[in-house]
Amino acid sequence: MSVEERPVVMPRSQLVYGEIVYWVTILAAIVCMIGPVISVKNVENNVMNPHYLFAGIFEGKNAETIWQEVGHYKKVVDGVETEVAGFPGGHFYFDNFSKGDGFTQFGLALGCSVAVWALIITSFCFLKEKNPLFFVLALWVAVLVTFSMIGVV
């Protein structure tokens, strides 16, 4: 596209999408920097003890073995809270948000889901710009990304 052909004013929907992606990514990066500090500062307040985690990684153990040896989390079974070893599930940070590794995992999930938040808000900009096709397409892509994140697709 030549200089003469490019638009003088960028459409608002594109500016909104870019700003949301930019600032949410910055926020996610900050969360992902704070999480490891929390993990190392209070080693016992983690789903996985970072000292044993890194030792297992450097010994070349696979993820399943490391989770069995190092991953300990609390699970409520029949109304009784018990400690369980192993992988607690893909979205374990919901139940472990106050733990260092749970907080870090939240930051990673936030950064990976930034397109969903930006597309939802941008879709309403498309509606305001009287572009119903892009409104529907933006919401459709947001739904596809959401289903992908939760494991349906």
Side-chain angles (χ1 to χ4, degrees):
M1 176 181 290
S2 69
V3 174
E4 294 82 29
E5 294 175 4
R6 73 176 178 203
V8 177
V9 178
M10 189 70 93
R12 183 163 177 79
S13 55
Q14 293 178 18
L15 292 172
V16 167
Y17 183 85
E19 287 291 318
I20 293 169
V21 168
Y22 179 81
W23 287 109
V24 174
T25 302
I26 295 293
L27 176 66
I30 291 170
V31 168
C32 287
M33 288 188 314
I34 294 171
V37 173
I38 296 169
S39 292
V40 174
K41 185 177 179 190
N42 189 358
V43 174
E44 298 304 319
N45 190 27
N46 287 294
V47 175
M48 296 180 77
N49 184 317
H51 299 300
Y52 296 120
L53 168 65
F54 294 130
I57 291 170
F58 293 135
E59 289 172 6
K61 296 179 180 176
N62 64 21
E64 185 176 315
T65 303
I66 292 172
W67 271 109
Q68 287 299 321
E69 292 176 356
V70 184
H72 298 282
Y73 61 98
K74 293 182 179 169
K75 183 176 183 180
V76 178
V77 180
D78 296 328
V80 178
E81 188 175 82
T82 58
E83 190 165 305
V84 180
F87 181 60
H91 297 285
F92 73 92
Y93 57 92
F94 286 134
D95 296 328
N96 299 289
F97 188 75
S98 63
K99 298 180 185 285
D101 46 6
F103 191 67
T104 304
Q105 186 71 20
F106 164 73
L108 291 169
L110 179 64
C112 291
S113 68
V114 68
V116 172
W117 311 117
L119 281 168
I120 290 170
I121 295 169
T122 302
S123 68
F124 292 104
C125 290
F126 285 134
L127 196 60
K128 191 173 181 180
E129 292 173 357
K130 297 182 180 12
N131 194 340
L133 176 62
F134 281 10
F135 168 74
V136 171
L137 289 174
L139 288 178
W140 174 247
V141 172
V143 167
L144 288 175
V145 172
T146 302
F147 282 159
S148 177
M149 285 187 320
I150 61 176
V152 174
V153 176

